Amino acid sequence: MFPQQLDDSRGYEIACALLDGFDKHYRLFREASASAKQRFERADWHGQQRAQRERIEFYDLRVAEAAERLQAEFEAGKLPMAIWQQVKLHYIGLLTHHHQPELAETFFNSVTTKILHRHYFHNDFIFVRPAISTEYIENDEPAATPTYRCYYPTRESLRDTLMRVITNFRLQVEFEDLARDVDAVLAAVLERLELLDKDRPFRARANFQIQVLSPLFYRNKGAYVVGKVVNGDSEAPFALPILHLDPAGGAVPRLVIDAVLFGEDDLQMLFSFARAYFLVDMEIPSAHVQFLCSLMPRKPRAELYSALGLQKHGKNLFYRDFLAHLQHSSDSFRIAPGIKGMVMLVFDLPSFPFVFKLIKDFFPEQKDTTREQVQGKYLLVKQHDRVGRMADTLEFSNVAFPLSRFDDELMAELRHFAPSQLEISDRGEAPRELVLRHVYIERRMVPLNIYLQDATPVQLENAVIEYGNAIKDLVAANIFPGDMLWKNFGVTRAGKVVFYDYDEIEYLTDCNFRRVPAPRNEEEEMSGEVWWPVAPRDVFPETFAPFLLGNPQVREVFMKHHADLLDAAFWQGHKQRIAAGHVHDVFPYEPGKRFAVQRAQAAA
């Protein structure tokens, strides 16, 4: 029961301290996001990557600061539960006119769960359910920037309106030829509108408008305009990537609109869970997410918050969705299909589209690693540019599952391989729970080795090409995947191949790519063992073939499209360019969508 009256001033003071901690966090978060515009204009790609990486750490630092303050000023860990109930009620009152109430609730959870025992992780003490609505929040200050801008063109003024959409962002770098790029966008928009109107010539309806989110979305070397065209009953979501042209010979930097991405599928790829988080300056994040939901209704809100760099709230929303799914399902957790890993124990719930991964307590001799090193690899991936090829992970501690939902085979595996990570919680009449002390959660994909077993010849060819492209994208991002076996890659619903086994990844620049030396005698030539000296980070690409290309169909496709992956020179060349400071372009869309490619094809 909640208290009948708020009779202890400490409750209010603690609530204020918690909100102070959150406000400091979000101020620093916005500063890092807002400064992305200047870094983009300066073409400071290393600075942009560094900001993306460092911003991920902001949240945990502020949570630790707030928890330390509460312990130092209020001895929070010793306070009676009645006061903590008052803290929550006061905090709700403080959020009434707040512009980021949902994020502040998550921050409250993060701090208080560091102080309270897990038995108090329910809605009386933390925000298991949201308390403040995020609907229709607006910044009413006169100088405030709206969440999105609306433009109302006519058929005749559509080109001028598209020009104004771009110039309103006030980028401090000139375009190479903005008129040319806008003409290309205009042609694509008109074509799309005619398709939406059943291939009839475009006619502007009474509500014809273009809605564009006010901030640009920055990631790596790109800035993205995100919006939608509304005409009658039709809506066409779109994104416009703006890129720098690489200046040659000291030329003045210039910008180009590189492509136009249309429709939910294209935007799903842009906001993929396998890509780095955007840098976006937002006063009211819930309003931005609401707008994005209208563009991508199939994409969970949790993933949209994460894509905007608000991954802790995305994680909170995911957990709420997970609890709701458990409430409305009855199937059992099981060992995940596929080849079992040597480092990670993986299980899933068939009705839920994610997998759960625990680090085992012990590994085979050939796996020279530790729990701390594996956690370090997962952190590396979280902070790195995932270039659409490495799945994002949600990391949880002390997660409670209903024990009755675990099948016997899975429980036997857990008790054998990860007993240190298990705790059976028994709270009297409540159902018994299995608490996992540390677990990673990832989007479920079809393991590539299983996909290839049932693939048609066309599917097999596409998957093998995608596999090679995935490795090359990772290479461009300075990642050597380590274990490149098919089982460590998955196929998404969109047919993309994504890497998800991180315990052996290394920075490409930390590896030494070598050719296998020529044998010095017949004994060495006939030897089935490695007879040449090998240092810890030596890699011999030509030795990949026996492990990867046993299937003749796979080998034929691989050698046609990706034979260079078996040549040490390919890896050495990329390593040298990255070490020299070059940042590769990795596009979240197909090359054929690029205006430059289309112009070159038209001229050929």
Side-chain angles (χ1 to χ4, degrees):
M1 294 290 293
F2 270 76
Q4 298 301 309
Q5 57 184 356
L6 303 178
D7 58 3
D8 195 311
S9 62
R10 289 175 295 179
Y12 179 73
E13 292 167 0
I14 291 172
C16 289
L18 280 164
L19 191 57
D20 286 346
F22 169 75
D23 287 342
K24 177 182 178 181
H25 158 68
Y26 199 70
R27 183 179 70 254
L28 295 173
F29 177 92
R30 284 196 69 183
E31 288 173 0
S33 302
S35 59
K37 179 176 185 290
Q38 288 73 42
R39 289 189 294 269
F40 175 77
E41 291 167 343
R42 297 194 304 267
D44 180 9
W45 310 134
H46 292 288
Q48 203 78 304
Q49 290 178 340
R50 185 166 55 252
Q52 287 174 306
R53 182 171 61 250
E54 292 174 349
R55 191 185 62 172
I56 290 173
E57 301 174 356
F58 284 4
Y59 187 88
D60 289 337
L61 292 172
R62 302 291 84 75
V63 167
E65 283 179 7
E68 289 172 8
R69 178 183 174 186
L70 296 191
Q71 295 285 30
E73 294 184 16
F74 305 99
E75 295 186 317
K78 299 178 181 179
L79 294 175
M81 290 304 101
I83 292 180
W84 277 108
Q85 291 176 329
Q86 294 185 40
V87 170
K88 183 182 176 184
L89 290 175
H90 280 299
Y91 198 77
I92 291 171
L94 293 171
L95 295 182
T96 302
H97 299 292
H98 205 279
H99 287 163
Q100 306 94 33
E102 77 282 24
L103 308 185
E105 289 179 356
T106 292
F107 188 85
F108 181 98
N109 289 354
S110 298
V111 176
T112 54
T113 53
K114 278 186 168 291
I115 297 170
L116 301 179
H117 188 272
R118 185 173 49 79
H119 289 166
Y120 298 98
F121 294 2
H122 51 83
N123 206 51
D124 285 356
F125 300 97
I126 66 173
F127 293 93
V128 176
R129 296 190 302 273
I132 301 293
S133 172
T134 57
E135 297 294 319
Y136 306 113
I137 299 177
E138 293 292 342
N139 188 345
D140 297 326
E141 298 172 7
T145 302
T147 298
Y148 62 92
R149 294 186 173 94
C150 291
Y151 301 82
Y152 299 95
T154 62
R155 172 66 179 82
E156 293 71 29
S157 67
L158 181 54
R159 183 183 185 278
D160 290 340
T161 300
L162 291 171
M163 184 75 72
R164 191 153 51 94
V165 166
I166 302 301
T167 56
N168 277 352
F169 288 106
R170 301 181 183 278
L171 289 167
Q172 301 303 302
V173 181
E174 296 293 329
F175 280 79
E176 180 194 42
D177 190 340
L178 183 57
R180 175 202 64 195
D181 294 347
V182 168
D183 284 339
V185 174
L186 175 63
V189 168
L190 290 174
E191 180 182 357
R192 184 74 177 190
L193 289 171
E194 289 179 1
L195 285 173
L196 291 173
D197 212 8
K198 300 179 180 178
D199 294 327
R200 291 179 293 191
F202 164 67
R203 180 164 66 91
R205 312 290 175 174
N207 66 336
F208 181 48
Q209 60 187 288
I210 301 174
Q211 299 178 4
V212 179
L213 283 167
S214 293
L216 285 168
F217 286 56
Y218 297 96
R219 184 171 64 199
N220 303 328
K221 297 174 73 175
Y224 297 85
V225 180
V226 179
K228 60 183 173 182
V229 181
V230 180
N231 193 39
D233 296 330
S234 301
E235 293 189 359
F238 71 87
L240 304 177
I242 299 175
L243 305 180
H244 274 258
L245 282 176
D246 288 331
V252 177
R254 289 289 186 265
L255 301 178
V256 294
I257 301 175
D258 193 56
V260 57
L261 310 179
F262 267 124
E264 183 180 0
D265 289 344
D266 277 0
L267 266 69
Q268 289 258 27
M269 296 298 294
L270 180 63
F271 285 82
S272 168
F273 66 89
R275 294 197 179 275
Y277 306 139
F278 284 105
L279 293 159
V280 191
D281 182 21
M282 303 169 290
E283 171 68 20
I284 304 173
S286 61
H288 289 74
V289 169
Q290 184 65 31
F291 188 94
L292 292 171
C293 282
S294 74
L295 310 182
M296 297 170 280
R298 292 178 297 161
K299 197 161 190 67
R301 295 171 69 88
E303 289 187 14
L304 290 173
Y305 271 101
S306 293
L308 297 175
L310 302 167
Q311 72 277 5
K312 294 295 185 178
H313 186 63
K315 174 179 163 182
N316 190 18
L317 289 181
F318 168 86
Y319 190 64
R320 287 171 178 164
D321 290 342
F322 175 56
L323 292 178
H325 184 87
L326 287 177
Q327 187 72 25
H328 295 90
S329 63
S330 59
D331 53 336
S332 295
F333 292 97
R334 61 174 185 176
I335 298 171
I339 300 172
K340 295 179 181 179
M342 290 186 282
V343 171
M344 307 296 286
L345 192 158
V346 185
F347 66 93
D348 71 354
L349 187 67
S351 62
F352 192 62
F354 290 82
V355 296
F356 303 80
K357 304 171 70 169
L358 279 79
I359 303 173
K360 295 180 178 179
D361 285 353
F362 57 90
F363 317 124
E365 289 185 8
Q366 62 265 41
K367 287 288 186 179
D368 183 18
T369 188
T370 65
R371 175 179 297 276
E372 291 71 27
Q373 288 173 331
V374 174
Q375 289 177 319
K377 304 290 188 182
Y378 275 77
L379 180 60
L380 184 158
V381 172
K382 171 68 74 175
Q383 297 176 342
H384 200 74
D385 177 10
R386 294 187 294 279
V387 294
R389 299 299 188 176
M390 291 189 289
D392 193 14
T393 56
L394 301 172
E395 185 177 6
F396 284 89
S397 299
N398 296 317
V399 185
F401 298 82
L403 181 60
S404 62
R405 299 282 291 273
F406 281 69
D407 71 24
D408 293 341
E409 183 182 7
L410 173 56
M411 281 305 303
E413 291 274 303
L414 289 168
R415 288 191 170 106
H416 177 71
F417 288 107
S420 73
Q421 298 302 300
L422 311 182
E423 176 186 342
I424 305 296
S425 175
D426 192 349
R427 291 191 290 162
E429 297 179 1
R432 300 179 75 195
E433 293 178 328
L434 173 65
V435 179
L436 299 181
R437 294 195 173 94
H438 185 257
V439 61
Y440 294 105
I441 304 176
E442 288 177 2
R443 170 73 64 174
R444 182 167 60 204
M445 292 170 275
V446 180
L448 184 54
N449 61 309
I450 293 177
Y451 181 88
L452 291 175
Q453 291 172 8
D454 301 322
T456 65
V458 172
Q459 290 173 330
L460 182 143
E461 180 177 17
N462 290 338
V464 173
I465 292 172
E466 261 290 286
Y467 166 79
N469 289 340
I471 293 174
K472 289 176 178 177
D473 286 345
L474 291 173
V475 168
N478 194 24
I479 290 292
F480 174 61
D483 191 343
M484 291 164 49
L485 293 177
W486 307 97
K487 70 181 181 67
N488 296 325
F489 292 77
V491 182
T492 70
R493 289 174 296 184
K496 298 286 286 184
V497 170
V498 173
F499 185 58
Y500 53 59
D501 191 334
Y502 305 143
D503 59 273
E504 291 190 18
I505 65 170
E506 300 284 353
Y507 288 117
L508 190 80
T509 46
D510 289 341
C511 298
N512 182 30
F513 297 95
R514 298 173 52 193
R515 290 186 172 86
V516 174
R520 294 166 297 184
N521 51 54
E522 184 177 353
E523 183 181 27
E524 289 182 349
E525 185 174 6
M526 300 301 293
S527 173
E529 303 294 330
V530 175
W531 48 264
W532 58 89
V534 179
R537 290 185 175 172
D538 282 355
V539 180
F540 299 86
E542 64 200 271
T543 65
F544 298 163
F547 299 98
L548 301 177
L549 307 180
N551 182 324
Q553 294 173 289
V554 168
R555 181 179 182 86
E556 180 182 356
V557 176
F558 185 92
M559 295 305 294
K560 179 180 177 181
H561 295 276
H562 298 301
D564 49 352
L565 290 175
L566 304 179
D567 185 354
F570 167 86
W571 301 83
Q572 292 166 352
H574 276 278
K575 176 180 175 178
Q576 290 167 3
R577 283 189 289 274
I578 293 169
H582 180 69
V583 177
H584 290 268
D585 290 297
V586 180
F587 302 107
Y589 44 92
E590 298 301 321
K593 294 182 182 293
R594 303 187 66 197
F595 291 149
V597 172
Q598 294 171 4
R599 287 193 294 268
Q601 291 173 342

